[in-house]
Amino acid sequence: MSKRQMLTGNAAAAWGARLSAIDYLPAFPITPQTEIIETLARWIDLQEFDARFVSMDSEHSMITAAGAAAATGVRVFSATSSQGLLYGMEMLYTAAGWRSPFVLVNVSRGLAAPITLEPDHNDILAARDSGFLQLHCATCQEVLDAVLLAYRIAEDSRVRLPVIVNLDGFYLSFTREPVDIPAQEQASCFLPPFDALDQGFRGGRPCNAAVAVLGGSTYSYFRYQAHLAALNALDVMAECTAEFADIFGRAYSAIEAYRCDDAEVVFVMLGSFATKAKAAVDLLRDAGQAVGLLRPFLFRPFPAEAFRTALTGKRGVAVIDQNLAPGSGGVLHNELAAKLYDGIGELPVLVSFIGGLGGRDIGPEEFCEMARVTLKAAEEKQSPPPRLLYTEKEWRAMKKLQAIALHQDSEDRA
């Protein structure tokens, strides 16, 4: 029997790991994910569940330990954030190349410099080509559920790749929401013990397993095999989410569609800020505008076919990126643009917006303005240049601070 509690996103992630019956927890603290590891460590200390916790000396060694342990056939969990994810980036590629199936939670936080503790998605999107699959959560309930789903997908024999479950720092990590916590029996029914197949190390069965330095032909083959395995995750996820709905009564899919069936203009965005977009869609619908929302729950592999199907017949698409790739633009916009040109009939007009950087809010009036700009672009059949969401008031305040700094610098020089 499930129970409902008010949980932070961090606590929901910890519950997801606990219900997954993890065996090994290598960890290193970093704000704002530390609460996940603290919660799990407390439960282990209280002997509320059985797992081995090891405090590592860095994120690099943490991910190394996670990948190596998963290769021995145990269920592994860890968590990180922001600069920590980047510090362990080398080992993301390595662990994925090992085909070690484990789950890593990332609590998104903007990257330095300048320094911020608030969220955006540049950290997680920097890892998009590492070989890790990615699930992006919008609510605390999704965080718990995504961890369970991630293990089912990662450990499937058709995939065998690690998965990152992403949640936004502070907006989800420290925000309490009602969360249904499944009974352990339910969770175990959905997620049985990790079957390592023929993978694993045993003292009584010595063996040698390693990654050799390979030539280009062999290297290409193994890299392509990982690519095909990632694509398999699309079908595996569809199967897992159907079973998840039967057991827990909550339905998930690669893309969440909200009021899209008759929409002319569609917002597309990742993460918890999509809940703001939902509220804006309701507001615009009340005003008589046919607006909807598409939110990718699965980002790697990219659900291209689902997007093509959902956007067929739409007039305009406002892609709202909570990230910025300097010299290129929004990552989600670029990915979606590339995939839409791969088989759809008449293309909707795509308009790129950059917002929410460093946790900056996106207000209802800005969603209304984005809908207006996108509809105008659809009527003119012309996409405007990418636009940074930034108010005139904010711009004046930055100019004032700049003028003060220049004046102070001038006085210091004098």
Side-chain angles (χ1 to χ4, degrees):
M1 187 72 178
S2 65
K3 56 183 177 181
R4 174 166 286 198
Q5 289 186 12
M6 295 292 290
L7 296 180
T8 64
N10 281 344
W15 267 107
R18 174 172 171 168
L19 291 167
S20 299
I22 62 169
D23 300 301
Y24 181 52
L25 175 65
F28 186 81
I30 183 171
T31 300
Q33 73 81 14
T34 307
E35 183 188 18
I36 300 173
I37 305 304
E38 288 176 339
T39 302
L40 287 165
R42 184 176 68 252
W43 288 336
I44 294 170
D45 187 54
L46 294 172
Q47 299 183 345
E48 294 185 10
F49 86 109
D50 185 20
R52 175 71 180 273
F53 168 62
V54 178
S55 181
M56 309 302 292
D57 59 3
S58 72
E59 289 86 0
H60 189 281
S61 58
M62 175 189 87
I63 296 171
T64 304
T72 70
V74 300
R75 185 168 285 160
V76 181
F77 175 86
S78 194
T80 189
S81 177
S82 188
Q83 309 293 144
L85 183 68
L86 266 61
Y87 189 46
M89 185 68 73
E90 176 189 3
M91 295 312 299
L92 292 183
Y93 282 80
T94 301
W98 289 342
R99 304 291 296 274
S100 295
F102 67 95
V103 174
L104 175 70
V105 166
N106 183 68
V107 183
S108 271
R109 194 187 90 201
L111 297 170
I115 296 291
T116 180
L117 294 178
E118 300 299 324
D120 61 37
H121 296 152
N122 271 102
D123 60 348
I124 182 62
L125 295 182
R128 68 188 183 276
D129 299 327
S130 65
F132 273 67
L133 309 184
Q134 291 189 13
L135 295 173
H136 288 247
C137 302
T139 68
C140 294
Q141 182 70 65
E142 278 190 10
V143 173
L144 187 155
D145 295 345
V147 173
L148 292 168
L149 284 165
Y151 278 111
R152 272 291 300 269
I153 296 167
E155 294 173 2
D156 191 283
S157 61
R158 293 164 288 179
V159 179
R160 292 288 162 146
L161 286 169
V163 180
I164 295 177
V165 173
N166 197 74
L167 61 142
D168 291 336
F170 296 93
Y171 279 89
L172 280 189
S173 64
F174 295 138
T175 297
R176 282 179 167 79
E177 296 177 348
V179 174
D180 287 323
I181 305 172
Q184 185 62 62
E185 294 75 20
Q186 279 183 302
S188 298
C189 178
F190 174 75
L191 183 64
F194 178 23
D195 181 1
L197 302 177
D198 59 352
Q199 179 179 344
F201 298 95
R202 299 292 183 271
R205 192 187 64 195
C207 62
N208 182 29
V211 177
V213 178
L214 303 174
S217 176
T218 313
Y219 180 89
S220 298
Y221 175 82
F222 279 97
R223 291 293 291 176
Y224 191 62
Q225 289 296 309
H227 166 68
L228 295 177
L231 293 179
N232 286 343
L234 290 164
D235 290 335
V236 172
M237 181 177 181
E239 296 169 13
C240 293
T241 52
E243 185 177 340
F244 191 95
D246 287 341
I247 294 174
F248 302 106
R250 292 186 291 278
Y252 291 100
S253 58
I255 300 175
E256 179 193 12
Y258 184 69
R259 305 187 76 167
C260 279
D261 289 345
D262 63 340
E264 295 184 346
V265 170
V266 176
F267 296 130
V268 176
M269 64 189 310
L270 289 164
S272 65
F273 276 38
T275 59
K276 300 172 184 283
K278 277 187 177 181
V281 166
D282 291 340
L283 185 68
L284 287 161
R285 286 280 180 167
D286 290 343
Q289 298 189 45
V291 179
L293 167 71
L294 290 175
R295 178 184 65 87
F297 179 48
L298 178 69
F299 183 75
R300 274 292 183 271
F302 193 79
E305 187 59 38
F307 264 117
R308 285 194 286 266
T309 300
L311 292 176
T312 297
K314 307 307 181 190
R315 297 182 63 193
V317 181
V319 185
I320 307 161
D321 271 287
Q322 204 175 338
N323 68 85
L324 178 59
S328 177
V331 171
L332 180 58
H333 172 268
N334 291 341
E335 295 242 343
L336 184 58
K339 296 303 182 184
L340 285 184
Y341 276 91
D342 188 21
I344 198 171
E346 184 176 351
L347 294 171
V349 172
L350 260 63
V351 183
S352 174
F353 298 93
I354 311 294
L357 300 182
R360 180 196 177 274
D361 192 21
I362 303 177
E365 68 284 352
E366 291 179 301
F367 282 104
C368 293
E369 174 66 8
M370 284 187 278
R372 186 194 68 79
V373 170
T374 303
L375 186 58
K376 184 173 184 291
E379 291 170 350
E380 297 174 352
K381 298 187 181 302
Q382 181 68 43
S383 297
R387 180 175 297 188
L388 175 68
L389 299 180
Y390 211 68
T391 66
E392 184 178 350
K393 181 179 179 181
E394 288 173 315
W395 181 254
R396 287 199 303 267
M398 290 301 103
K399 283 296 188 182
K400 184 177 180 180
L401 287 174
Q402 186 179 40
I404 292 171
L406 289 172
H407 178 71
Q408 184 64 49
D409 183 60
S410 177
E411 286 188 343
D412 290 344
R413 290 176 183 274

